[in-house]
Amino acid sequence: MADLSTTIAGIKSPNPFWLASAPPTDKEYNVVRAFKAGWGGVVWKTLGEDPPVVNVSSRYGALLDANRTMIGFNNIELITDRPLEVNLREIAAVKKAWPDRAVVVSLMAVMTEEAWAGLARRIAPTGADGIELNFGCPHGMCERGMGSAIGQVPEMVEQVTRWVKNATRLPVIVKLTPNITNVLWSAEAAKRGGADAVSLINTINSIASVDLDAMAPTPTVGGKGTHGGYCGPAVKPIALNMVAEIARNADTHGLPISGIGGIGNWRDAAEFIALGCGSVQVCTAAMVYGFRVVEDMIDGLSSWMDEKGYRTVEDFRGRAVGNVVNWNDLNMNFVTKAKIDKELCIDCGRCHIACEDTSHQAIRILAGVGKRLFEVVDEECVGCNLCAHVCPVPDCITMHEQANNLPYMTWPEHPQNPARILPPKAAE
């Protein structure tokens, strides 16, 4: 059986699955139940200075698909609304009872050294394994000069990270906001400040929906609404891209990463790890399906690693990073075409409609016995994959590489590139 234990920024855990800072990690009762279910670590819901914040009702919004499966989740909840002393006492109790699990404590404060260093110094005696700086929450706290108000300014990210590093020997993880033009600016700032790792992504600024009766954004609070933090499966592609950018950037390559954003099963986790993450943080999936969702994650990741011959997480961590390239470095001579399995086809016609109306008119209809038959016109197919994506039958439409014996050629080398730099001519 594969070894799932991980170490990131010196923080050890029996498996890479941590609960992210959020309602599931806001008290001892929740965290103990999570550890009993098998979670390898938690990031305790963000602590702040007393007096505690005051939350509103209601707090959550959601984006559901036609089957009422949650594809996006939105919240306007703030940091912990429990007294600091209560949280610190419970963190110490949990860590003492569960020494093999990772307990990281999230922090948020106003932009002063006294506030950040003071909180960090109070956390150290609890025995916690590390500190996560919350520079990401895009609602409520940023209006008070905290959260993403700090995370969107690289100079402030660097300064706060340095303050906390100077105040404690605990590993410091900087949680980055996606609500920024270029995530590398804040990642590089965190590294300059001495961060031991970064975690991403925090939630995305959003309005989940509008209540057309109340004529207000959801969740509504007495007939009014506001923007909140978006998470869940819908944000995973954004998170993967930002993780990859940090993993392959020369200035941040090698900086440990804890991946967050739409992780709901073992495959999601494996994808984040393949892009360089040393742990993954989960929230929405646990809130929707309960703490025991981690059992499937552990079993699935372990089985897949056994199948692939990976003995440890390190055996495949970061393996996909080298294959993330700029568009200009892709092979212009690579050709792939769609192929339709006529036996599996159910004659719904979605591939034909999509290709005919919006793409390249590369699927024609043939007369069949009892049903229409669909066929790809290779001369017109550009290999865009749209037909495969809209087909409701698994493996009915597949993509196939076409051998052409042409060399790997990038756009800068392509003869149709007007900016192409020609190689120097040989001396005559």
Side-chain angles (χ1 to χ4, degrees):
M1 184 176 177
D3 177 5
L4 299 188
S5 64
T6 59
T7 300
I8 174 173
I11 303 170
K12 297 180 179 179
S13 60
N15 63 61
F17 300 107
W18 297 3
L19 281 172
S21 171
T25 63
D26 73 337
K27 58 173 71 76
E28 180 180 4
Y29 175 79
N30 279 349
V31 173
V32 168
R33 291 182 64 244
F35 283 165
K36 287 180 178 177
W39 292 91
V42 298
V43 180
W44 203 278
K45 184 174 170 69
T46 305
L47 308 186
E49 293 183 296
D50 285 335
V53 301
V54 177
N55 274 299
V56 295
S57 174
S58 63
R59 305 176 190 178
Y60 302 146
L63 186 64
L64 309 178
D65 68 11
N67 298 317
R68 290 194 59 77
T69 299
M70 187 179 293
I71 55 177
F73 189 72
N74 166 294
N75 84 89
I76 60 171
E77 186 169 300
L78 304 181
I79 63 175
T80 182
D81 51 13
R82 306 168 74 228
L84 179 60
E85 191 59 40
V86 171
N87 276 299
L88 295 175
R89 185 172 66 247
E90 293 187 0
I91 291 167
V94 167
K95 187 58 197 176
K96 184 178 180 181
W98 298 86
D100 68 322
R101 309 302 171 94
V103 177
V104 176
V105 181
S106 175
L107 292 187
M108 184 188 289
V110 294
M111 190 63 199
T112 70
E113 182 174 6
E114 180 183 8
W116 284 96
L119 284 171
R121 291 191 186 103
R122 294 194 67 178
I123 288 170
T126 66
D129 298 290
I131 289 174
E132 184 180 79
L133 310 184
N134 185 340
F135 293 153
C137 281
H139 52 85
M141 304 308 288
C142 52
E143 287 92 330
R144 308 176 193 187
M146 293 180 263
S148 62
I150 293 176
Q152 290 170 335
V153 183
E155 292 80 5
M156 295 169 77
V157 170
E158 180 179 347
Q159 182 64 75
V160 174
T161 305
R162 186 168 289 116
W163 285 339
V164 176
K165 283 294 294 179
N166 289 338
T168 179
R169 293 183 177 180
L170 290 174
V172 174
I173 302 172
V174 174
K175 189 172 185 178
L176 303 175
T177 175
N179 301 298
I180 191 168
T181 306
N182 186 343
V183 75
L184 293 178
W185 298 339
S186 49
E188 291 171 358
K191 186 178 180 182
R192 288 194 301 271
D196 298 285
V198 292
S199 57
L200 66 157
I201 59 173
N202 209 310
T203 53
I204 299 173
N205 217 346
S206 63
I207 289 179
S209 63
V210 174
D211 184 326
L212 293 179
D213 294 318
M215 282 295 172
T218 62
T220 56
V221 181
K224 306 288 185 183
T226 186
H227 61 96
Y230 196 52
C231 52
V235 311
K236 176 186 154 190
I238 299 166
L240 286 175
N241 175 58
M242 290 188 169
V243 164
E245 288 300 290
I246 293 172
R248 73 190 187 100
N249 176 49
D251 290 337
T252 51
H253 178 71
L255 182 64
I257 304 172
S258 184
I260 314 169
I263 298 166
N265 55 51
W266 72 266
R267 182 178 292 277
D268 296 334
E271 292 175 20
F272 275 82
I273 294 170
L275 286 176
C277 293
S279 70
V280 292
Q281 298 185 30
V282 178
C283 176
T284 305
M287 295 180 73
V288 173
Y289 301 110
F291 286 146
R292 294 187 65 178
V293 70
V294 75
E295 295 175 1
D296 289 340
M297 294 180 180
I298 292 171
D299 289 345
L301 182 61
S302 179
S303 297
W304 175 77
M305 288 173 61
D306 287 342
E307 179 185 330
K308 293 292 185 181
Y310 297 130
R311 293 184 302 106
T312 71
V313 171
E314 284 301 307
D315 287 347
F316 75 97
R317 188 177 69 82
R319 282 212 170 194
V321 176
N323 290 325
V324 182
V325 299
N326 293 333
W327 193 97
N328 270 1
D329 293 322
L330 297 173
N331 182 10
M332 306 298 292
N333 283 333
F334 178 79
V335 177
T336 184
K337 304 281 185 186
K339 184 176 181 181
I340 301 173
D341 187 323
K342 294 181 175 60
E343 296 297 321
L344 292 176
C345 178
I346 60 173
D347 189 14
C348 69
R350 290 184 62 184
C351 60
H352 174 262
I353 293 170
C355 188
E356 189 71 16
D357 286 0
T358 67
S359 292
H360 299 90
Q361 298 77 52
I363 295 178
R364 60 189 168 203
I365 305 175
L366 306 175
V369 179
K371 68 176 185 180
R372 297 174 298 173
L373 298 177
F374 298 89
E375 183 177 74
V376 176
V377 182
D378 280 352
E379 295 75 18
E380 302 297 335
C381 179
V382 301
C384 72
N385 295 9
L386 178 61
C387 55
H389 291 312
V390 302
C391 179
V393 181
D395 301 323
C396 179
I397 301 181
T398 50
M399 306 304 297
H400 297 266
E401 179 180 350
Q402 308 293 299
N404 56 20
N405 296 320
L406 295 175
Y408 198 111
M409 179 181 288
T410 66
W411 176 242
E413 301 165 330
H414 200 279
Q416 287 182 244
N417 179 1
R420 181 169 64 123
I421 300 175
L422 298 174
K425 291 183 178 179
E428 294 181 356

